[in-house]
Amino acid sequence: MSDVATKPAEEEVYAPQADDKLYRFDVDIFCGGCKGAVTRKLKKTQPTTPGIRGYEVISNPDATGTVNVYTAPETELKTAYKFVVDTDKMVFKKGAVSRDSDTWEVQEVMEREAYKALSTPEKKDVRKEKMEAAASEL
C-alpha cells in the first residue's frame, strides 16, 4: 500500500455561454456525500440529455442544495427538470432565472417541511412519482 494519498478529482466548473438559459432547482442535498452523488449522476447523464450544456451543484448552509442547469436557448424547463429529478433527490422548487437580474420564476414542486415529515418509504414513493411525472412530460 502506498503512503501517497490520492487527491479527489476537482469538480469541473462550467463557464456559462452568453446564450445559455439558466434553470434553478432547490434540491434535497444536506451533506457533502449527497452533493457528490448528485454531481456524479448529473455528470453521467449529461451526455445523453439533449440541450444540457452544463450544471453546478451548490450546498447551502440551510440543509438544502441548489442545482443550476445551463441549457441551449431552445431547451425547456421540463427537460432540465427531468435531468435533475433523475438524480433521485427531491426537488422542492424549480424555475427559470433571468440572467440579467438574477430573478427567479419559482414553481413550487413540494413544500420542504411536508417532505421532511414523511417516512422513508413515503419519501421514496414521492420521488418515484416525481420522476415518472417528469418523464411523461417529455
Side-chain angles (χ1 to χ4, degrees), residues 16-43:
Q17 299 176 28
D19 66 339
D20 282 352
K21 272 190 178 176
L22 172 58
Y23 295 111
R24 182 169 292 154
F25 303 88
D26 274 359
V27 182
D28 188 26
I29 300 173
F30 55 89
C31 68
C34 293
K35 178 182 176 185
V38 168
T39 301
R40 285 188 301 277
K41 178 70 173 183
L42 295 176
K43 184 177 183 176

Side-chain angles (χ1 to χ4, degrees), residues 38-113:
V38 168
T39 301
R40 285 188 301 277
K41 178 70 173 183
L42 295 176
K43 184 177 183 176
K44 182 177 178 181
T45 58
Q46 181 185 359
T48 60
T49 308
I52 304 296
R53 291 182 171 172
Y55 57 86
E56 61 184 332
V57 180
I58 304 164
S59 296
N60 297 328
D62 67 350
T64 64
T66 300
V67 177
N68 289 326
V69 179
Y70 299 92
T71 71
E74 66 279 359
T75 305
E76 296 181 24
L77 173 61
K78 61 186 176 184
T79 300
Y81 176 61
K82 171 92 169 67
F83 177 63
V84 175
V85 82
D86 280 352
T87 64
D88 199 28
K89 290 291 181 182
M90 185 63 203
V91 174
F92 299 113
K93 295 179 185 176
K94 62 182 179 178
V97 178
S98 166
R99 301 278 303 277
D100 298 329
S101 63
D102 199 38
T103 56
W104 188 17
E105 298 172 24
V106 178
Q107 298 175 20
E108 188 100 15
V109 176
M110 182 170 193
E111 204 275 322
R112 184 179 297 123
E113 293 305 317

